[in-house]
Amino acid sequence: MLTQPHLLGISDLTGGDIGMILDLAESYVAQGAGRHKHCGGLEGRTIVTMFFEPSTRTQASFELAGQRLGADVLNMSMQTSSLKKGESLIDTALTLNAMRPDLLVVRHSASGAVSLLAQKVTCAVINAGDGRHEHPTQALLDALTIRRRKGRLQGLTVAICGDIAHSRVARSNILLLGKMGNRVRLIGPPTLIPSGIERMGVEVTDDMGAGLAGADVVMMLRLQRERMDGGFVPSAREYYHRFGLDAEKLALARSDAIVMHPGPMNRGVEIDGTIADDINRSVIQEQVEMGVAVRMAVLDLLSRREEVAEGVDV
Ligand code: ASP
């Protein structure tokens, strides 16, 4: 049983919770690769997804995960919902809550919005990304990918490169990899590294050579221009020259280092297309596959908990 009724962030999880999710997800990987992908477990349950920000991988994989477990999945179209007519996020959530879903999957552009919502509803809530705060299922699927490829999830050196400042993926990964006993290095221009981030137990550099040396895992991040309110980098061309991952820079990492990217990817900005497609180094497609398995495990484990009906603060 997980220690938490909701999945709001990696910060709330214990190492035991993380291990439990990854072990269960592992069993769903084989299931997903086979011909019979349905395995039940959530029959009769209702999952509602609410994405206030665009998503390709996350929303699709939550939907597939719910269906493979036998649940009814309702994807709310937030573009056409009553929010457009001025209804508040909380009122929309309370309306949906009255339809008695068992699990609510929420993405929102404001950091903290998902945990606020979790205090108002009676079902389990999963954070599918809130602002630049956390994206816990991304870090969990990254962890599963690393564990399968490296045979372990501790004692590794992981380099996270690029736009750290605007990335909830980076934050959740820093927390998870730190909890599991790995060394995390952040590489990026100083304008894209939040000041004081060293307090999270990471090393920081703006030099790809120093940051990639000895790395077992190289995780590239997108420049999140939608969250930038000014010029954080001189130009995409110059950024690629200094921080874009190409064969030359990848050669600075360990010869068996794997390359990761949460997507969506901007080829020629943070990563060279040839590296992204190199099946000997890139595990980007495997990350997507692990995403379905991890989301199945999270939905399954949260639905096993008692209803969070008590102590609701509406
Ligand atoms: N898909 C990830 C997220 O939602 C990363 C990105 O958008 O660059 O945070």
Side-chain angles (χ1 to χ4, degrees):
M1 193 74 83
L2 293 179
T3 56
Q4 301 295 317
H6 307 289
L7 177 60
L8 300 176
I10 298 295
S11 61
D12 301 329
L13 299 182
T14 63
D17 289 330
I18 294 167
M20 191 187 305
I21 295 168
L22 300 188
D23 290 346
L24 182 59
E26 191 74 58
S27 69
Y28 288 132
V29 175
Q31 184 99 28
R35 275 168 65 88
H36 296 287
K37 301 188 193 323
H38 274 216
C39 53
L42 259 70
E43 285 98 351
R45 304 289 190 118
T46 303
I47 300 170
V48 175
T49 73
M50 296 166 75
F51 279 66
F52 297 90
E53 269 192 343
S55 168
T56 309
R57 281 150 289 269
T58 308
Q59 189 162 21
S61 59
F62 266 115
E63 182 174 3
L64 215 48
Q67 286 172 354
R68 286 186 184 173
L69 289 165
D72 294 320
V73 186
L74 171 68
N75 293 315
M76 287 294 295
S77 170
M78 301 323 293
Q79 314 304 324
T80 52
S81 81
S82 289
L83 277 166
K84 290 269 177 244
K85 300 181 188 164
E87 189 174 70
S88 76
L89 165 69
I90 299 301
D91 282 333
T92 304
L94 290 177
T95 303
L96 287 171
N97 190 52
M99 297 178 195
R100 297 217 156 263
D102 299 283
L103 293 137
L104 208 48
V105 179
V106 187
R107 167 170 289 187
H108 200 276
S109 59
S111 305
V114 183
S115 71
L116 178 70
L117 194 143
Q119 293 165 27
K120 306 288 181 189
V121 298
T122 49
C123 61
V125 175
I126 300 174
N127 180 3
D130 64 325
R132 55 182 82 175
H133 176 232
E134 279 229 43
H135 191 353
T137 56
Q138 177 71 46
L140 287 161
L141 74 87
D142 290 341
L144 183 61
T145 309
I146 295 172
R147 195 174 81 167
R148 286 166 62 90
R149 283 295 179 130
K150 293 286 158 197
R152 65 189 203 278
L153 189 59
Q154 61 176 51
L156 296 167
T157 299
V158 181
I160 306 180
C161 319
D163 182 0
I164 312 291
H166 302 99
S167 176
R168 52 198 176 206
V169 174
R171 234 185 111 73
S172 289
N173 265 298
I174 292 168
L175 291 166
L176 189 151
L177 292 164
K179 274 181 203 250
M180 303 312 277
N182 300 282
R183 185 172 175 185
V184 178
R185 287 202 201 124
L186 305 181
I187 318 172
T191 47
L192 293 176
I193 306 270
S195 64
I197 193 127
E198 292 87 348
R199 285 197 293 274
M200 291 184 81
V202 294
E203 299 160 34
V204 176
T205 176
D206 64 356
D207 178 61
M208 284 292 266
L212 292 177
D216 299 285
V217 177
V218 183
M219 195 180 286
M220 302 308 297
L221 299 174
R222 181 175 68 92
L223 286 178
Q224 304 217 311
R225 294 189 191 277
E226 74 276 22
R227 297 196 208 292
M228 296 183 191
D229 49 13
F232 283 77
V233 290
S235 71
R237 215 180 126 98
E238 190 172 330
Y239 181 82
Y240 179 70
H241 177 67
R242 277 199 67 195
F243 298 101
L245 190 69
D246 56 12
E248 207 179 311
K249 295 199 192 76
L250 182 57
L252 302 166
R254 282 178 57 105
S255 58
D256 61 352
I258 55 169
V259 175
M260 307 181 78
H261 195 303
M265 193 164 42
N266 286 318
R267 292 167 185 257
V269 180
E270 72 271 5
I271 191 166
D272 172 43
T274 324
I275 296 289
D277 297 334
D278 180 354
I279 53 165
N280 295 313
R281 307 302 295 271
S282 165
V283 296
I284 295 170
Q285 298 309 324
E286 194 172 325
Q287 286 174 268
V288 179
E289 185 184 352
M290 295 309 115
V292 180
V294 154
R295 286 165 182 135
M296 285 174 80
V298 166
L299 292 169
D300 190 351
L301 287 167
L302 285 177
S303 74
R304 287 185 206 170
R305 285 190 59 104
E306 295 291 312
E307 268 205 303
V308 200
E310 311 318 323
V312 181
D313 167 29
V314 177

